[in-house]
């Protein structure tokens, strides 16, 4: 990540997911969140985000990116997945539904799918069958893998065959095997990488962090 996101003027930020998060969703992203939003928007390389539980990666990274992408790119497609369907439905899509009233007329957000007035669509699902991932094709396809450490490598191979224009892998730290772990080690040259600890998230509080360290 270069310094462009932090040095950009207000005019340069117009239409970016950083602007969308601030002006449409009324959020105040942390610096690390702005860096991730910028990298995904540029679409130069897939982005891998390794962040602590409760850091805000779903609410302040994935949700703004999905709504921004659908709003800015007509007839585009967003596909979100996770290791288990509960993660898709209750976490990410629950967050998306909470912002429905901020989007204006013509938006429809259901349990795990949405349509925008410009023809863009987003869908959330989970599967362990790689064949079900190979049917997604769009000139402006954006894919998000939530809790990516739990997604089998075969699914990532199927995702690559879809040739998404933008790809975000995000998860808390976990095992040392699998594509998500490899994004920070043996396959790191293929990714723009971001590592975020609890100390980068002021809302978690120093007392909570100290308690977790003492407990675990």
């Amino acid at each position: 990540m270069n310094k462009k996101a932090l040095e950009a003027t207000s005019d340069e930020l117009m239409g970016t997911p950083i602007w969308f998060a601030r002006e449409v969703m009324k959020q105040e992203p942390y610096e690390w969140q702005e860096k991730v939003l910028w990298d995904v928007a540029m679409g130069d390389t897939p982005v891998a985000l390794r962040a602590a539980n409760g850091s805000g990666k779903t609410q302040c990274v994935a949700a703004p990116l999905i709504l921004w992408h659908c709003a800015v790119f007509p007839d585009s497609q967003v596909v979100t997945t996770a290791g288990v369907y509960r993660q898709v439905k209750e976490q990410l899509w629950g967050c998306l539904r909470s912002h429905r009233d901020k989007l204006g007329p013509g938006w429809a957000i259901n349990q795990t799918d949405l349509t925008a007035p410009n023809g863009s669509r987003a869908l959330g699902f989970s599967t362990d069958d790689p064949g079900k991932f190979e049917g997604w094709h769009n000139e402006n396809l954006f894919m998000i893998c939530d809790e990516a450490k739990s997604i089998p490598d075969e699914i990532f191979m199927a995702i690559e065959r879809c040739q998404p224009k933008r790809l975000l892998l995000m998860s808390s730290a976990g095992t040392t095997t699998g594509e998500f772990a490899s994004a920070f080690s043996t396959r790191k040259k293929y990714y723009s990488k971001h590592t975020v600890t609890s100390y980068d998230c002021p809302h978690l509080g120093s007392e909570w962090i100290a308690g977790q360290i003492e407990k675990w």
Side-chain angles (χ1 to χ4, degrees):
M1 164 68 191
N2 53 41
K3 298 180 180 179
K4 290 183 179 179
L6 303 180
E7 297 175 348
T9 65
S10 296
D11 288 343
E12 290 172 330
L13 287 176
M14 183 72 71
T16 69
I18 298 173
W19 173 89
F20 195 91
R22 292 174 179 172
E23 301 301 324
V24 179
M25 301 178 70
K26 306 304 179 184
Q27 296 178 339
E28 293 293 336
Y30 294 143
E31 181 177 306
W32 69 262
Q33 293 166 346
E34 292 188 350
K35 290 179 179 180
V36 178
L37 294 172
W38 183 276
D39 272 5
V40 174
M42 293 302 100
D44 298 327
T45 57
V47 176
L49 168 62
R50 181 170 58 192
N53 286 324
S55 61
K57 56 185 178 292
T58 296
Q59 181 175 349
C60 298
V61 175
L65 282 169
I66 292 168
L67 297 177
W68 163 80
H69 198 275
C70 287
V72 171
F73 301 106
D75 299 314
S76 61
Q77 176 83 57
V78 181
V79 177
T80 76
T81 191
V84 294
Y85 182 68
R86 177 183 54 78
Q87 181 76 21
V88 176
K89 181 180 178 181
E90 297 180 7
Q91 299 296 320
L92 177 53
W93 281 84
C95 181
L96 289 171
R97 291 192 298 274
S98 72
H99 293 287
R100 182 165 23 203
D101 294 341
K102 301 173 184 175
L103 300 174
W107 288 79
I109 305 181
N110 302 310
Q111 290 296 309
T112 54
D113 67 274
L114 72 79
T115 55
N118 62 5
S120 296
R121 298 185 65 237
L123 175 74
F125 80 112
S126 177
T127 180
D128 57 3
D129 181 358
K132 293 182 179 180
F133 248 104
E134 297 182 7
W136 305 106
H137 298 287
N138 187 287
E139 291 183 359
N140 209 328
L141 176 63
F142 175 28
M143 288 186 156
I144 296 178
C145 300
D146 196 5
E147 285 307 314
K149 67 184 180 185
S150 301
I151 297 177
D153 284 355
E154 292 78 9
I155 297 296
F156 286 114
M157 294 173 65
I159 288 174
E160 286 197 8
R161 289 193 286 271
C162 295
Q163 300 181 28
K165 189 168 185 178
R166 293 175 180 83
L167 175 62
L168 171 63
L169 278 56
M170 60 182 201
S171 181
S172 55
T175 63
T176 58
T177 60
E179 180 65 17
F180 183 72
S182 298
F184 295 87
S185 55
T186 57
R187 288 172 55 81
K188 62 183 180 181
K189 69 178 181 179
Y190 299 110
Y191 291 90
S192 175
K193 301 168 296 301
H194 299 263
T195 297
V196 178
T197 72
S198 298
Y199 294 105
D200 300 308
C201 307
H203 66 278
L204 292 178
S206 58
E207 291 185 6
W208 181 86
I209 295 173
Q212 292 296 297
I213 292 173
E214 180 180 355
K215 181 177 180 179
W216 300 107

